[in-house]
């Protein structure tokens, strides 16, 4: 069981959405919380509200996460819990309409950045022989979704890396845990305009409670909402076309992105 009381936790992309809701719960449970983001005004306001620390961090810039690692290490001496939460969706275009900049940015923020941030903090965790890493992936990591191909690619990648990382750390001598979180749609500006006829759109606070509960129990996976747990089973036993029909037509994923607006990310 992972304890969060008196532990130091860092959250990337923590100024709003799941990150902000998770930060509040961690504070309530007695953790020392470091919020990082590129949204300085929102991040500082949240940190002041809940008595957390805030550091500016663009997860795509190596010099910045190296700097944050040094500040965390100098001030706190260790990091116990790392939430790789930063993520973006750039558009609802079919793949052939996406430009190269959108492709690169999505993969950089949603996948590559998590690897580099973790690589910065992991050696110290291994030295202290303990650490819990939580990677926010997505149900899109195993459920195909039209108009979301690059996002799906980024989440497939993060889920695969997260699983491999878990196996590596479990083979070591220490108290290490990796939790992969695979939410469906969350009611934040990031998913504005998404339609989900049968899959409930979860509130960030509900998602955060599920995540913290999963972390406390050292769960390998946290899927949000609960119905997402059955998706890998159906994909595994059904013929591909039947699974496509079930996910696309019955659950409504085929047209869920048709009216997507998202945030203004410029």
């Amino acid at each position: 069981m992972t304890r969060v009381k008196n532990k130091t936790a860092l959250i990337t992309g923590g100024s709003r959405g799941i990150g902000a809701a998770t930060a509040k719960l961690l504070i309530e449970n007695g953790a020392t919380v470091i919020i990082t983001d590129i949204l300085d005004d929102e991040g500082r306001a949240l940190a002041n509200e809940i008595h957390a620390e805030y550091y500016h961090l663009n997860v795509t810039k190596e010099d910045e996460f190296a700097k944050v690692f040094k500040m965390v290490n100098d001030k706190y001496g260790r990091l116990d819990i790392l939430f790789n939460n930063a993520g973006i969706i750039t558009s609802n275009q079919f793949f052939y309409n996406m430009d190269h900049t959108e492709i690169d940015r999505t993969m950089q923020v949603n996948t590559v950045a998590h690897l580099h941030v973790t690589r910065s903090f992991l050696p110290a965790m291994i030295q202290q022989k303990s650490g819990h890493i939580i990677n926010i992936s997505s149900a899109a990591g195993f459920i195909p979704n039209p108009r979301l191909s690059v996002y799906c690619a980024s989440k497939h990648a993060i889920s695969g890396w997260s699983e491999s990382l878990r196996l590596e750390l479990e083979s070591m001598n220490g108290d290490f845990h990796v939790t992969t979180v695979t939410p469906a749609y969350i009611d934040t500006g990031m998913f504005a305009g998404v339609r989900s006829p049968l899959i409930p759109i979860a509130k960030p606070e509900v998602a955060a409670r599920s995540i913290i509960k999963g972390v406390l129990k050292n769960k390998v996976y946290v899927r949000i909402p609960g119905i997402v747990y059955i998706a890998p089973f159906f994909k595994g036993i059904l013929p591909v076309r039947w699974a496509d029909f079930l996910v696309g037509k019955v659950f409504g994923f085929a047209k869920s992105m048709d009216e997507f607006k998202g945030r203004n990310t410029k």
Side-chain angles (χ1 to χ4, degrees):
M1 178 176 179
T2 292
R3 300 183 184 277
V4 299
K5 187 175 182 180
N6 299 324
K7 300 295 185 180
T8 303
L10 183 144
I11 305 173
T12 65
S15 68
R16 55 189 179 186
I18 291 179
T22 301
K24 292 176 181 178
L25 283 179
L26 286 168
I27 290 288
E28 289 175 12
N29 282 275
T32 297
V33 176
I34 303 158
I35 298 166
T36 68
D37 212 314
I38 58 173
L39 304 171
D40 293 334
D41 290 342
E42 293 181 40
R44 290 194 183 100
L46 175 63
N48 290 335
E49 174 192 341
I50 66 175
H51 305 292
E53 189 88 10
Y54 175 77
Y55 295 142
H56 174 89
L57 174 62
N58 182 335
V59 292
T60 68
K61 296 186 180 298
E62 184 176 352
D63 60 330
E64 290 194 12
F65 51 72
K67 180 180 178 181
V68 166
F69 167 76
K70 186 177 186 307
M71 289 191 294
V72 170
N73 194 56
D74 288 349
K75 184 166 185 177
Y76 300 101
R78 62 186 289 145
L79 183 70
D80 301 294
I81 305 170
L82 172 62
F83 283 81
N84 284 310
N85 171 72
I88 59 169
I89 300 176
T90 58
S91 72
N92 64 335
Q93 298 294 318
F94 285 111
F95 181 71
Y96 66 86
N97 280 328
M98 294 188 71
D99 61 42
H100 294 285
T101 301
E102 285 182 293
I103 294 169
D104 289 346
R105 184 168 174 242
T106 300
M107 297 303 295
Q108 188 73 28
V109 174
N110 291 357
T111 306
V112 177
H114 295 343
L115 276 64
H116 285 302
V117 170
T118 303
R119 177 61 182 81
S120 294
F121 285 98
L122 193 54
M125 286 184 171
I126 292 172
Q127 187 173 15
Q128 71 198 27
K129 294 189 176 182
S130 66
H132 198 139
I133 298 167
I134 299 93
N135 298 314
I136 308 298
S137 182
S138 172
F142 51 88
I143 298 175
N145 200 324
R147 297 178 182 266
L148 208 59
S149 59
V150 178
Y151 182 82
C152 286
S154 71
K155 296 304 184 177
H156 270 272
I158 206 67
S159 290
W161 164 73
S162 188
E163 275 286 85
S164 294
L165 177 65
R166 177 181 64 82
L167 293 174
E168 289 180 1
L169 292 178
E170 286 177 355
S171 71
M172 296 181 182
N173 180 26
D175 183 24
F176 300 111
H177 305 281
V178 177
T179 299
T180 307
V181 182
T182 60
Y185 298 124
I186 306 296
D187 187 15
T188 66
M190 184 172 171
F191 290 100
V194 163
R195 296 183 301 169
S196 184
L198 289 184
I199 305 294
I201 298 178
K203 295 291 185 183
E205 295 76 16
V206 173
R209 283 197 295 272
S210 295
I211 293 168
I212 295 300
K213 185 177 179 181
V215 169
L216 292 175
K217 293 182 176 181
N218 294 334
K219 282 193 170 183
V220 173
Y221 274 105
V222 174
R223 305 197 193 279
I224 307 165
I227 194 172
V228 175
Y229 278 97
I230 68 173
F233 172 75
F234 281 122
K235 281 200 70 179
I237 66 169
L238 292 177
V240 173
R241 298 301 182 187
W242 291 17
D244 287 348
F245 178 79
L246 179 68
V247 172
K249 302 296 184 182
V250 177
F251 289 128
F253 278 92
K255 294 186 177 295
S256 63
M257 292 292 291
D258 286 0
E259 298 179 21
F260 170 79
K261 298 179 180 66
R263 289 194 179 106
N264 181 355
T265 57
K266 293 183 180 179

